[in-house]
Amino acid sequence: MQTLREFTRKTKRGNILKIVREHYLRDDIGCGSELCRNCFQNEVYQLTSQHEIQCSLFKFPHYIVVDTNVVLDQIDVLEEDVLRNVIVLTTVLNEVKHKSSSIYKRFNELVHDRTRHFYVFVNEHHKDTYADREPDETANDRNDRAIRIATKWYDDHIRASQSSKDLERTGKTATRVILLTDDAGNRAKAEADGILVASAAEYVKSLEDFPLLMDKLSHKSFDSEKQALPQYPPHLSMKELLEGLRQKKLLQGAFQASRENYLEGSVNVESFEKGILIQGREALNRAVDGDLVAVELLPESEWSAPSEIVLEENNVYADDVPSEERAEQEKDMLQQVQAASAASAEERSPTGRIVGIVRRKWRQYCGILQPSLIEDTSRHIFVPADRKIPRIRIETRQAAKLQNQRIIVTIDTWPRNSRYPHGHFVRSLGPLGDMATENEVILLEHDVPHCKFSEEVLSFLPKMPWTIKAEDYAKRVDLRDLYICSVDPPGCTDIDDALHCRQLPNGNLEVGVHIADVSHFIRPGNALDKEAAARGTTVYLVGKRIDMVPELLSSNLCSLVGGVERFAFSCVWEVDHDANVISKRFHKSVIKSKRAMTYEEAQVLIDDPADQGEIAKSLRNLNKLAKILKKRRMDNGALVLASPEIRFQVDSETHEPLEVEAKQMRETNSMVEEFMLLANITVAEHIAAEFTECAVLRRHPRPPPTNFDPLVKAARYQGYQVDIESGLELAHSLDKCVKEDNPYFNTMIRILTTRCMMQAVYFISGSLQKEEYFHYGLAAPIYTHFTSPIRRYSDIMVHRLLAASIGADSTYAQLLERKSNEELCHNLNYRHKMAQYAGRASVALNTHLFFRGKEEDEEGYVLFVRKNALQVLIPKYGLEGTLYLKSDKDGKDGLERTKAQIIFTFNEEDHTQRCGNFVFHSFDPVTVRLSLDSSNVQHEKLVFRLVKPYIKGFSVEPKAGADDKESQAPPPTKKSKKDKKKK
């Protein structure tokens, strides 16, 4: 049977186009119930009578039909293993897919979980449940009507399928079908049609055996706030927002909340170099970090500047109501912020107020419950771990159990009359401070996909035992006889790359970089490929790795382990002894690495003149060539940057850090790096020439001159001139920043330089001009990533392009689509940035664990001087922290000090801090005491206290039991005017 669907559409030219579509209806679509003997049933997914739920609202067996809003708002309830026998109408499934891809993905997993008995009924193609759209009926009203028609049909159909005699004989009650909808209008119409109907909240509250399920209900409002006065201005309607944006009266951008000041934030707008400043609760107007917002720019006379003060919100409890006293306190705080801003009027920036939300970017948030002052209350305040996120009001009946637990909460809504957004409890992660729990928090807060690989993804892995077949050898170059070896960090199991170097008969050298051929195992477009693309990169935490691809590939079939035959993608050069490239070639190969070494083992081999084996000779030649290549890059203006990096020795059982030290760099690190760079540049040149519009490349933009201001000033006050006109001049300037009495000075200058850099990003060749391809840090006109396909999806894309260009693999449509590749690059840039942040957060967590219960005095250097603090670097541990010079009234540095006589004065001209006769400059040596402040259980921090130079009343006393030499040393001498004089 078929029906016709007709609708009209207006074309760009203004013509009216009538569209007629044939819509086929069937009478053989099964209902999915095991009670029915009339329909053809799919036995895999079936509604069953085995899981009856005790419900005080419907005291009989029943199946559930959910409408679209219930799925969108109550997905956390549906995911709990309580509700079963749920009928999913295709009308609902399609609406959810259209409105939220993330919830659709979660709901789809439920549908495919056979144990949950979620049955998809194709109501849009069933002859008895199809609803044609009526004249003047909105799409939403038509969908609601279709859901009611399907529910009514189901209920009648299931009742007709049950014999009254059988029910009487067994004493059972007839199974019915009920509709759950949170739309009051839809409920009223359903009741009028004789349908059993309830709201999601009513139904969940009636499940007497599962009282805690109520915690997961999405709350749009709380009873205590329904009569409360508005605390925020109203948001403009979407129609008003679009009109304002079109007329350019409003500006659109992503909102970024301040981490230090809860009354401040900014909105990044394309037409403004700096973000638009937002100050005050009313101006912030319920925006949450990440939201896409509309901003109204204030008159220039009302512009302000970032306050640069730390302002944390005082505790507000769940049952508090708005008061005049709190409003006055907030007014005073805002005046503090604006007063701090007014002090730097010349630095004023565009200031505005948020008038509407274009798109919310809410997610699930990790944090803790704030203890309540009232016993036996269900209303609580959730404090997120991320300081940028406001506190969230939730209802939970298990607060006592959740104290000292990390929990996850999601935001449901933020009404005008509520100080905080409303949300609901999702789940508990585990005890506060537990290593596994804290790692989970890091991964969730940095949006790192870390769930187990699905069965669908794993189904595309090779079947074990896997062996190389004869046809594979025929298609590849056989390099198993070459002396190929890999050099990696200790404990590395995902070995991406291997090297070889051998003498050619003509006297030249052949150098090969062999990269794991991951693209052979991950074919375009399958579930494994999509999962790898979504993850984007492998994430490395301390003692833990979250793989981009399943372990069978990352640590086994793709990893170039020693003594095992593996598929590789080889880049081979012929070079002379001065490292000049004579020729190059690319091919897929089969290799057998002769040895997998650590950097230290390779270094020992190179340095041992007695070892004249083939691998040792290969490594020495590679090392010699690498030094030439590095010097050539340096001469071209490549930068040698530095960052403080820490390495932890981790307990294999507890996973807690036993020892912490700065990472050691050897010649072999540089050797491997140089050939990886050469391979990446060589491949970039090749694919950019072959695919001018769709090559995946990586660029490092030149930083704007203002980025270098802290570096230039810090160097100038040390008597050094840093030239930033070009990368070459900057590199030469950095080389000259050397102090004989401070061997660490040059490293600190390079660390400061790293802070001035822009983020390197992936892009598609056709989207930019060739002069914009430049990689500033490497001084390379073109660059890409080819050498780590096990841990970077960008490299897989590059492998596919290279393979297609040499005929080693076939091309496919998406590979050459610029738009889809640009979207992939955007995701890769985001994932790469989040992976870096997650790695740093893991280092910070382990540093805190290491210093828990310890106090250590360590030598360090002032990295740079702030208005109220010194940023201090500890070379021994490769870590840095803040030594606060002024304590605010709340004692936020966690220390009890009497500072009546201690006054620090900041000099903006030469960036120094003076206290009496002591002057602190950047790069001055200091001794500090390190300890952990655990007063805030959610935000532990490493505290730096000054030991030397000794300032009475401010510095802490040297530790008892210090060595004799130190105890006999004279007290610190005051600096003379001659010492303080600058060059």
Side-chain angles (χ1 to χ4, degrees):
M1 178 181 172
Q2 78 175 45
T3 183
L4 297 178
R5 299 173 67 181
E6 296 183 5
F7 56 94
T8 56
R9 180 176 291 168
K10 196 173 184 179
T11 66
K12 288 181 180 179
R13 293 185 177 181
N15 298 325
I16 302 297
L17 189 66
K18 183 178 180 181
I19 299 174
V20 180
R21 286 184 182 162
E22 292 180 342
H23 188 81
Y24 289 90
L25 302 178
R26 297 170 56 174
D27 59 3
D28 60 346
I29 297 173
C31 66
S33 172
E34 68 176 13
L35 299 172
C36 178
R37 298 290 176 266
N38 302 322
C39 298
F40 169 78
Q41 307 293 7
N42 181 346
E43 293 180 3
V44 176
Y45 299 102
Q46 201 172 46
L47 301 167
T48 176
S49 56
Q50 293 176 4
H51 301 285
E52 293 184 8
I53 192 165
Q54 298 301 313
C55 171
S56 60
L57 200 59
F58 303 106
K59 299 180 179 180
F60 43 78
H62 53 269
Y63 300 150
I64 302 168
V65 175
V66 288
D67 81 348
T68 307
N69 287 329
V70 168
V71 177
L72 292 172
D73 295 336
Q74 310 295 354
I75 185 66
D76 293 313
V77 172
L78 294 173
E79 284 180 329
E80 285 298 299
D81 194 11
V82 174
L83 303 186
R84 303 193 181 201
N85 290 326
V86 176
I87 298 163
V88 180
L89 304 178
T90 50
T91 303
V92 172
L93 204 58
N94 291 334
E95 272 197 292
V96 172
K97 186 177 183 179
H98 176 69
K99 291 185 176 181
S100 174
S101 58
S102 59
I103 290 178
Y104 175 75
K105 184 179 178 183
R106 291 166 67 184
F107 192 52
N108 211 27
E109 287 176 4
L110 284 178
V111 168
H112 286 91
D113 183 353
R114 298 177 187 179
T115 64
R116 296 295 304 277
H117 301 285
F118 277 53
Y119 182 76
V120 177
F121 178 64
V122 190
N123 65 304
E124 293 290 358
H125 288 277
H126 193 288
K127 69 179 182 66
D128 295 326
T129 59
Y130 173 71
D132 207 354
R133 188 167 166 182
E134 295 176 350
D136 301 324
E137 187 178 37
T138 66
N140 189 58
D141 287 345
R142 180 264 163 201
N143 288 340
D144 285 346
R145 187 163 56 85
I147 293 168
R148 293 195 301 272
I149 290 171
T151 308
K152 177 71 173 165
W153 175 86
Y154 242 110
D155 190 37
D156 294 342
H157 180 77
I158 295 298
R159 279 198 289 175
S161 301
Q162 301 170 83
S163 165
S164 56
K165 291 182 180 179
D166 289 344
L167 292 172
E168 286 177 14
R169 190 177 69 254
T170 57
K172 289 184 177 180
T173 313
T175 299
R176 301 289 302 276
V177 177
I178 67 167
L179 172 64
L180 296 187
T181 174
D182 288 336
D183 184 331
N186 199 21
R187 279 203 304 275
K189 289 176 182 177
E191 285 171 356
D193 292 341
I195 297 170
L196 299 171
V197 63
S199 70
E202 288 169 343
Y203 185 77
V204 169
K205 288 173 184 175
S206 72
L207 303 179
E208 296 167 351
D209 293 342
F210 304 97
L212 297 183
L213 196 60
M214 291 165 63
D215 287 1
K216 295 182 181 259
L217 282 170
S218 171
H219 288 285
K220 298 298 181 186
S221 65
F222 289 96
D223 293 338
S224 61
E225 289 178 344
K226 284 180 180 175
Q227 303 303 319
L229 294 172
Q231 298 193 43
Y232 297 95
H235 286 153
L236 298 181
S237 68
M238 187 55 69
K239 184 179 178 181
E240 291 171 316
L241 289 180
L242 294 173
E243 185 63 22
L245 291 168
R246 189 181 65 80
Q247 295 179 0
K248 299 190 176 176
K249 290 179 181 177
L250 303 177
L251 301 165
Q252 178 178 298
F255 174 66
Q256 279 191 316
S258 168
R259 200 180 295 276
E260 285 81 26
N261 186 340
Y262 79 101
L263 290 178
E264 207 165 75
S266 64
V267 177
N268 296 321
V269 177
E270 281 186 11
S271 52
F272 288 79
E273 186 179 341
K274 289 185 177 179
I276 295 175
L277 181 66
I278 313 290
Q279 286 183 329
R281 187 184 288 280
E282 288 193 0
L284 293 168
N285 200 4
R286 295 171 284 159
V288 177
D289 187 66
D291 286 350
L292 193 64
V293 300
V295 179
E296 181 180 62
L297 203 61
L298 295 176
E300 200 164 335
S301 59
E302 296 180 35
W303 286 9
S304 184
S307 61
E308 295 186 8
I309 66 170
V310 175
L311 196 59
E312 290 183 5
E313 190 166 17
N314 295 327
N315 278 352
V316 177
Y317 293 94
D319 292 282
D320 285 3
V321 293
S323 65
E324 289 183 15
E325 184 184 351
R326 194 198 298 152
E328 283 299 316
Q329 287 177 352
E330 201 129 284
K331 197 173 178 182
D332 292 343
M333 288 179 179
L334 183 57
Q335 285 173 353
Q336 282 183 47
V337 170
Q338 291 169 340
S341 307
S344 53
E346 69 282 356
E347 296 177 10
R348 282 185 177 185
S349 60
T351 307
R353 64 188 185 95
I354 293 170
V355 295
I357 309 295
V358 179
R359 187 172 66 249
R360 289 291 191 187
K361 204 174 180 185
W362 293 342
R363 56 180 174 85
Q364 294 184 336
Y365 303 101
C366 304
I368 58 173
L369 273 189
Q370 180 178 293
S372 178
L373 296 177
I374 302 170
E375 289 186 16
D376 301 324
T377 182
S378 63
R379 288 191 287 271
H380 296 273
I381 293 291
F382 166 80
V383 184
D386 187 346
R387 293 179 190 271
K388 290 183 173 186
I389 306 301
R391 297 171 190 196
I392 301 168
R393 195 181 293 271
I394 69 167
E395 280 193 7
T396 178
R397 290 142 196 82
Q398 45 185 327
K401 178 184 173 185
L402 297 177
Q403 291 298 331
N404 297 316
Q405 294 266 318
R406 289 278 194 186
I407 64 172
I408 293 178
V409 160
T410 191
I411 297 177
D412 299 322
T413 186
W414 195 344
R416 280 182 67 197
N417 58 359
S418 174
R419 179 185 181 89
Y420 296 128
H422 296 168
H424 65 269
F425 167 74
V426 177
R427 64 187 171 99
S428 172
L429 293 172
L432 195 66
D434 175 72
M435 177 61 84
T437 302
E438 298 303 330
N439 274 336
E440 180 79 359
V441 170
I442 288 171
L443 295 173
L444 288 168
E445 283 299 303
H446 294 92
D447 195 18
V448 175
H450 60 287
C451 57
K452 289 182 179 179
F453 291 100
S454 69
E455 290 298 322
E456 185 185 10
V457 168
L458 298 176
S459 70
F460 287 96
L461 292 174
K463 300 295 179 281
M464 298 300 286
W466 177 83
T467 55
I468 299 176
K469 299 180 178 65
E471 56 264 31
D472 294 321
Y473 290 113
K475 293 176 184 175
R476 293 171 177 265
V477 178
D478 190 345
L479 302 180
R480 289 175 292 172
D481 293 336
L482 294 183
Y483 283 88
I484 295 171
C485 61
S486 61
V487 185
D488 290 283
C492 178
T493 59
D494 53 343
I495 302 173
D496 285 291
D497 54 86
L499 298 158
H500 89 271
C501 181
R502 63 173 177 171
Q503 191 94 17
L504 294 174
N506 63 4
N508 289 333
L509 297 170
E510 180 186 84
V511 175
V513 167
H514 311 279
I515 307 301
D517 188 7
V518 182
S519 62
H520 171 83
F521 297 97
I522 301 179
R523 303 311 297 165
N526 66 24
L528 178 56
D529 180 48
K530 288 175 181 175
E531 182 68 22
R535 295 187 177 217
T537 181
T538 292
V539 179
Y540 294 91
L541 305 184
V542 175
K544 184 179 176 74
R545 187 181 82 204
I546 295 86
D547 285 323
M548 180 185 80
V549 297
E551 191 176 13
L552 179 64
L553 296 183
S554 64
S555 297
N556 188 347
L557 300 184
C558 291
S559 186
L560 306 181
V561 292
V564 183
E565 293 182 11
R566 288 287 179 255
F567 287 158
F569 209 148
S570 300
C571 179
V572 182
W573 303 270
E574 181 183 341
V575 299
D576 61 22
H577 287 267
D578 293 324
N580 296 308
V581 176
I582 310 299
S583 64
K584 65 177 185 294
R585 65 183 185 276
F586 309 102
H587 49 68
K588 297 248 181 164
S589 56
V590 181
I591 69 166
K592 187 176 182 179
S593 173
K594 297 296 183 282
R595 189 173 170 189
M597 292 175 283
T598 64
Y599 291 117
E600 187 176 4
E601 289 168 345
Q603 193 66 56
V604 169
L605 219 57
I606 290 170
D607 295 340
D608 182 6
D611 194 331
Q612 292 300 315
E614 290 297 329
I615 291 178
K617 286 193 286 186
S618 175
L619 287 172
R620 289 189 193 108
N621 279 327
L622 287 168
N623 198 36
K624 183 187 76 172
L625 292 171
K627 289 177 181 178
I628 299 169
L629 290 170
K630 185 172 184 177
K631 183 180 183 308
R632 193 174 294 158
R633 282 198 310 109
M634 298 302 108
D635 291 344
N636 287 335
L639 300 173
V640 178
L641 301 176
S643 60
E645 289 191 79
I646 303 176
R647 185 176 171 211
F648 291 92
Q649 297 288 343
V650 179
D651 188 292
S652 59
E653 291 183 6
T654 65
H655 299 291
E656 292 196 354
L658 301 173
E659 194 57 64
V660 57
E661 60 186 13
K663 282 187 180 178
Q664 299 291 319
M665 297 297 285
R666 296 180 173 82
E667 274 188 4
T668 43
N669 292 75
S670 179
M671 176 191 78
V672 172
E673 181 187 12
E674 286 305 317
F675 285 105
M676 297 306 113
L677 291 175
L678 181 62
N680 287 335
I681 292 169
T682 305
V683 171
E685 291 169 344
H686 181 85
I687 62 171
E690 293 285 332
F691 302 99
T692 55
E693 290 294 311
C694 58
V696 178
L697 302 174
R698 188 165 175 82
R699 63 190 285 261
H700 184 208
R702 177 183 173 145
T706 52
N707 278 30
F708 290 106
D709 286 349
L711 170 69
V712 172
K713 286 179 182 177
R716 187 184 298 141
Y717 297 130
Q718 294 294 323
Y720 297 94
Q721 188 68 35
V722 174
D723 194 335
I724 60 169
E725 283 301 310
S726 69
L728 182 60
E729 288 167 336
L730 174 61
H732 289 164
S733 299
L734 296 178
D735 290 340
K736 293 173 185 174
C737 294
V738 178
K739 282 188 173 184
E740 289 184 10
D741 60 339
N742 184 355
Y744 203 68
F745 175 70
N746 187 259
T747 301
M748 287 191 289
I749 281 283
R750 294 184 190 277
I751 289 172
L752 275 185
T753 308
T754 305
R755 307 279 163 85
C756 304
M757 293 294 125
M758 304 284 282
Q759 185 81 32
V761 291
Y762 297 106
F763 70 101
I764 300 301
S765 55
S767 62
L768 293 173
Q769 299 297 318
K770 284 191 176 180
E771 52 270 21
E772 295 178 280
Y773 293 5
F774 191 73
H775 195 293
Y776 182 78
L778 298 174
I782 192 167
Y783 191 66
T784 194
H785 274 160
F786 163 75
T787 53
S788 297
I790 293 177
R791 59 186 180 90
R792 290 189 305 234
Y793 189 77
S794 56
D795 302 51
I796 293 177
M797 295 170 72
V798 169
H799 276 228
R800 289 171 178 168
L801 287 165
L802 184 61
S805 72
I806 63 172
D809 204 345
S810 57
T811 186
Y812 56 98
Q814 194 178 349
L815 186 68
L816 307 178
E817 275 183 19
R818 192 169 114 184
K819 188 177 179 182
S820 63
N821 285 340
E822 281 178 348
E823 289 172 0
L824 278 170
C825 285
H826 180 73
N827 179 60
L828 294 179
N829 290 329
Y830 171 72
R831 293 295 179 202
H832 182 72
K833 181 173 68 174
M834 288 296 106
Q836 284 184 317
Y837 292 165
R840 291 172 194 168
S842 178
V843 166
L845 168 65
N846 281 269
T847 304
H848 292 168
L849 288 172
F850 177 74
F851 281 102
R852 188 170 286 169
K854 295 179 186 175
E855 276 196 351
E856 291 192 13
D857 290 358
E858 296 295 343
E859 293 179 358
Y861 295 96
V862 177
L863 198 54
F864 48 91
V865 180
R866 290 180 167 176
K867 287 183 180 179
N868 68 337
L870 305 176
Q871 198 73 10
V872 176
L873 181 70
I874 311 297
K876 177 181 175 182
Y877 294 131
L879 63 87
E880 65 177 83
T882 307
L883 194 161
Y884 290 98
L885 302 179
K886 295 176 183 176
S887 173
D888 58 30
K889 62 183 178 182
D890 295 321
K892 284 193 174 61
D893 60 1
L895 304 172
E896 297 295 332
R897 300 195 192 113
T898 56
K899 295 192 176 182
Q901 302 83 19
I902 306 302
I903 299 171
F904 284 88
T905 308
F906 178 67
N907 186 324
E908 287 202 30
E909 287 186 17
D910 60 3
H911 278 248
T912 60
Q913 286 280 1
R914 177 185 292 272
C915 179
N917 293 325
F918 290 95
V919 181
F920 291 92
H921 306 82
S922 292
F923 312 117
D924 281 355
V926 291
T927 301
V928 293
R929 180 164 298 166
L930 305 177
S931 61
L932 190 68
D933 174 14
S934 300
S935 57
N936 184 331
V937 293
Q938 182 155 237
H939 295 114
E940 289 184 328
K941 60 184 177 183
L942 207 56
V943 174
F944 285 53
R945 289 178 285 177
L946 188 66
V947 178
K948 293 180 182 179
Y950 183 79
I951 300 174
K952 190 173 181 181
F954 179 78
S955 298
V956 292
E957 298 292 334
K959 277 189 170 184
D963 61 51
D964 292 338
K965 186 186 272 189
E966 202 166 307
S967 63
Q968 293 168 12
T973 55
K974 296 177 181 178
K975 291 188 178 181
S976 66
K977 289 182 181 179
K978 187 177 179 182
D979 293 330
K980 287 180 275 181
K981 192 175 180 182
K982 303 302 297 177
K983 289 187 182 180

